Amino acid sequence: MAKACDQVWITGIGLISSLGEGAALHWNKLCGAGTLRPVIDPQRFAPYTVHPLADIDFSKQIPRTSDQRQMERWQRIGVYAAGLALADADIAGDQELLEKTHLCIAAGNGERDIALDSRILAGNHADGAQGAYLNQNLATGLRPTLYLGQLSNLLAGNISIVHKATGSSRTFKGEEMAGASAVADAVNRIEAGQGEVFLVGGALNAEREDVLLGCELAGSLYSGPHHSVWQRRPQGGGLVPGSVGAFLVLEAAEHARRRGVVPYARISGIVSDRSRRRVGEASSVAASLFKDLRLNPANEDIGVLSGASGVEPATSEELQFLAELERQKFKPVVRAWGSALGHSLEAHFFAGLALASLAVSNDAFYPPFDAFEDKGDAKSHPDRVLVTTFGHWRGEALALVQSAW
Amino acid sequence: MGSRMLDQKGRPVVVVTGIGLVTSLGVGADLCWSRLTAGHSGVKPITRFPTDGLRSTIAGTVDDFDITPTSAYDLSMAMAEAAASEAIVQARIGSVSRFPGPLIVATPPSELEWPHLDRLHDHDPGGDLTGYQRILANARTGLFADLAKHVRFAAIADRLQERFGTQGEPLSICTACASGATAIQIGLESIRRGDADAALCVGTDATVHPEGLIRFSLLSALSTANEDPKKASRPFSKRRDGFVMAEGAGALVLESYDAAKARGAKILAVVRGCGEKADDYHRTRSSPDGAAMIASIRRALADAGVSPEEIDYVNAHGTSTPENDKMEYLSLHAVLGEHLARTPISSCKSMIGHTLIAAGSVEAVLSVLTLNTGVLPPTINYDEPDPDLPLDVVPNTSRTARVSTVLSNSFGFGGQNVCAVFSGEPA
């Protein structure tokens, strides 16, 4: 197929997190004077800290209570943020446009019924009759619609139902890399003329024990006194999850021009790979991906929004990669948004792209998110921002966000 | 380089050069096909776990792999490896540890199952902890790190990538019961774009465990015809009462026609096109007018550059639920019109059950086998036709026919509709 080679514009952002709601609010809070104070809750899931979602009135984007009832919280977070992005891109309510809006969603599983699980586990010691006991308790205890709150693709399904976006619908899995996969699918299709408008995004409800369990089983959860992502290494590293809904509208530039929409920025590159994570592999894979972005010239500031999770050794590998950029005479000004919002797994990469778009469109960059990060040139206003993600277990991806002009 | 083989829209022609299959009828495409075309059923009483008190106690389980203790991850993995290996060997592509293209794999939910939760809960962490506090305290010890594979969403893709040496970041995808078809669609698009010359597209699902079964049961989706398991899955028949859960995996090696020809590969079929459309009506039901299903079929035909009259056979989604089969008929009728009466349409789920996430992959493989052999697999258990669905379902026994072009349908919860069109090798 001949490449249409159209530019990929970011024309809508929907972002909710522990800091609050909306792209502008995030920009203002993250660029505000003084040191950033992340919103954390160290008590509710002690010894783990989470970034709890700000108070959100879900009915503003999901008016029907019957819809809300059929979703678990991760879906409500996602559907809400998706609605913000569609509204921001001036697509919400436009039936004709929504019908051709393709969904590329990153998702894990939904939420378990923690109370039911706990009840069953507490009583699960009847000798010999364990199977019958389990069957009976599941068959009578599970809410019939709970499964619909758990299926990975039902975040996309609910977005179609609530917001009427129905061009097509694909859900990608694999934690952080699911985000990169979803964005790459959309970008590739736009560039090849296989679609014009895409709603991409993901959501995490960090405030639940089953998410914490998944991270803890993998040895990836941080449980010490709260520190930014760069400063957890002495305690062995680990991620601090944050509730986030992050969505973007990606659009073929020509399509956006036709309907007179002003973009935040454009995605000029998205590359990913998966190393086996032997020592040094993640950083060298990232270095080779960086080459594929063909960034020139060096000797200029480059804003780096790092998706570092705090999990080791991935976070140290990323620092090695960033140090290598300096050796190549780039001047990376690094900000890890996980320190501000928490780590949001499937939603994480989209959040980074959203923050990068805001920086580019505001022609300014963020002050440090913690004491470890260099202030950089105070007048720094990079017109290109590198967004990184090193999966806490696997996968390396880089995206380049640039001014659309 | 000689002239490139392009389709009528100027895109590289994409072909299938290898297929692999695991179903409840056996391991391997040839074995499955011989049993399937003989009208055998792989549905049987569940013996893997106690079924006391369950409304549905039958499934198309795959019991050919020696996996103890079994789990959705381990069995899905084993089946995916077997199917992918078979497809790669048949395609004679790449080398043992290097497949020259990306991996796209459709995988079932990644979750802890009850034996895992029990293990995590049984250990005594000290203190008076209960429920998830107790489980989390145990998880913190690091003693249960072996369970991480069950909750890593790309664990299957990761291992397949390592085993077969596929290129780049592998994709793990879920579009519910259309997932297998989505994997093929993504592979097709990638080769058409010129991003790759080949792609390994796999779908796998082994979620016949108590909670998996009960979840579908609570949605009233499953057949409860437990007394005669082989007769339980009755697509398009009047007394169909739900689908039968099943396990399986399908794998296809896709290649550009030019790359396949250049290395002298045998071409099994052409992937003419795919179409998809999301439904906004309901979480488990399609819009009553079938708009999204109809659109997905139309888009598949349009993408393939094929007219409705050119469809010789439909490999139906045909789950055997009252809802799906009715809507599938309505949608096919809307698109194929009068031609539908002349078009045989069979549901292999009558024999192998519904392989869920894997169904689109499994049925794509079966569509390719239909093209290769000229045999239409039957819809078994078609004893009492549904008068509202006047279809030639190839009732009960297989049939030989000249088949040039096949439509394969996949529909899933969450408004997922994906259709694919396959043809024989271009002359």
Side-chain angles (χ1 to χ4, degrees), chain B residues 48 71-73 75-76 79 108 113 204-209 246-248:
Chain B
R48 190 179 293 161
S71 75
Y73 167 83
L75 185 51
S76 298
M79 294 190 306
E113 295 167 42
T204 186
D205 196 323
T207 47
V208 179
H209 50 68
E247 297 173 329

Side-chain angles (χ1 to χ4, degrees), chain A residues 1 48 67 109 112 117 124 135 153 158 160 166-167 169-171 173 175 194 216 274 276 394, chain B residues 12 50 52 107 110 118 132 140 153 158 161 172 174 189 192-193 211 276-277 283 299 413 416:
Chain A
M1 171 180 285
Y48 309 111
D67 280 334
N109 291 351
R112 294 192 61 85
D117 286 356
N124 203 3
N135 292 349
N153 70 303
N158 279 299
S160 290
T166 59
S169 173
R170 298 178 186 176
T171 296
K173 303 194 293 184
E175 295 90 32
Q194 293 167 329
E216 185 63 283
R274 168 169 293 221
R276 305 317 303 175
R394 283 276 197 276
Chain B
D52 312 53
T107 56
S110 302
D118 283 338
Y132 272 76
R140 269 198 299 284
F153 296 101
D158 188 74
Q161 184 207 33
S172 298
C174 172
E189 289 174 351
R192 278 179 177 171
R193 284 195 299 263
E211 191 164 328
E276 59 186 326
K277 174 72 178 164
R283 287 159 190 83
R299 287 178 178 190
F413 283 174
Q416 308 275 182

Side-chain angles (χ1 to χ4, degrees), chain B residues 170-217:
Chain B
L171 299 181
S172 298
I173 52 132
C174 172
T175 56
C177 298
S179 301
T182 299
I184 292 166
Q185 183 173 27
I186 290 175
L188 170 73
E189 289 174 351
S190 170
I191 295 172
R192 278 179 177 171
R193 284 195 299 263
D195 293 347
D197 281 333
L200 178 59
C201 306
V202 184
T204 186
D205 196 323
T207 47
V208 179
H209 50 68
E211 191 164 328
L213 196 74
I214 289 166
R215 290 191 290 225
F216 281 121
S217 201

Side-chain angles (χ1 to χ4, degrees), chain B residues 36-375:
Chain B
L36 196 81
T37 48
H40 292 182
S41 167
V43 180
K44 47 196 167 287
I46 294 168
T47 54
R48 190 179 293 161
F49 52 85
T51 55
D52 312 53
L54 299 184
R55 276 153 63 194
S56 297
T57 60
I58 54 173
T61 51
V62 170
D63 303 315
D64 304 78
F65 295 85
D66 186 17
I67 293 166
T68 317
T70 191
S71 75
Y73 167 83
D74 288 295
L75 185 51
S76 298
M77 186 65 234
M79 294 190 306
E81 264 188 292
S85 176
E86 183 185 8
I88 291 170
V89 166
Q90 181 179 30
R92 298 170 187 252
I93 190 171
S95 60
V96 175
S97 57
R98 188 181 186 284
F99 181 90
L103 167 70
I104 305 117
V105 56
T107 56
S110 302
E111 57 190 351
L112 295 174
E113 295 167 42
W114 282 94
H116 309 139
L117 289 170
D118 283 338
R119 254 184 77 199
L120 277 164
H121 189 265
D122 283 351
H123 189 77
D124 183 3
D128 280 334
L129 300 175
T130 58
Y132 272 76
Q133 286 214 326
R134 179 183 172 107
I135 288 177
L136 277 162
N138 285 330
R140 269 198 299 284
T141 64
L143 293 171
F144 300 91
D146 62 306
L147 296 178
K149 66 184 179 188
H150 300 286
V151 292
R152 283 176 164 148
F153 296 101
I156 289 176
D158 188 74
R159 202 166 124 193
L160 289 175
Q161 184 207 33
E162 189 170 23
R163 160 91 196 264
F164 297 110
T166 57
Q167 307 302 301
E169 167 71 6
L171 299 181
S172 298
I173 52 132
C174 172
T175 56
C177 298
S179 301
T182 299
I184 292 166
Q185 183 173 27
I186 290 175
L188 170 73
E189 289 174 351
S190 170
I191 295 172
R192 278 179 177 171
R193 284 195 299 263
D195 293 347
D197 281 333
L200 178 59
C201 306
V202 184
T204 186
D205 196 323
T207 47
V208 179
H209 50 68
E211 191 164 328
L213 196 74
I214 289 166
R215 290 191 290 225
F216 281 121
S217 201
L218 288 170
L219 290 170
S220 303
L222 297 182
S223 169
T224 55
N226 302 312
E227 58 292 338
D228 193 353
K230 293 185 186 317
K231 304 282 277 181
S233 183
R234 293 168 289 204
F236 304 111
S237 76
K238 191 176 180 192
R239 287 145 68 89
R240 65 187 186 277
D241 74 332
F243 72 80
V244 173
M245 264 186 96
E247 297 173 329
L252 298 93
V253 172
L254 304 189
E255 280 185 85
S256 73
Y257 177 89
D258 295 327
K261 274 291 171 193
R263 62 181 194 85
K266 181 171 161 47
I267 288 169
L268 305 178
V270 178
V271 189
R272 297 289 295 274
C274 289
E276 59 186 326
K277 174 72 178 164
D279 201 329
D280 61 9
Y281 180 70
H282 189 269
R283 287 159 190 83
T284 59
R285 294 203 309 273
S286 46
S287 165
D289 62 3
M293 277 188 184
I294 291 168
S296 69
I297 299 171
R298 287 203 170 121
R299 287 178 178 190
L301 297 181
D303 188 54
V306 161
S307 73
E309 290 71 28
E310 286 177 79
I311 297 297
D312 301 314
Y313 165 68
V314 179
N315 192 296
H317 189 57
T319 58
S320 181
T321 63
E323 163 82 7
N324 174 81
D325 297 0
K326 183 181 78 182
M327 294 311 301
E328 189 166 9
Y329 164 77
L330 190 148
S331 307
L332 283 168
H333 190 261
V335 181
L336 269 56
E338 296 293 300
H339 180 61
L340 180 60
R342 299 187 293 272
T343 309
I345 161 173
S346 63
S347 169
C348 298
K349 292 186 178 78
S350 62
M351 296 169 281
I352 58 176
H354 188 355
T355 55
L356 303 166
I357 294 285
S361 308
V362 166
E363 288 157 23
V365 169
L366 298 174
S367 299
V368 171
L369 286 165
T370 299
L371 287 165
N372 288 174
T373 61
V375 178

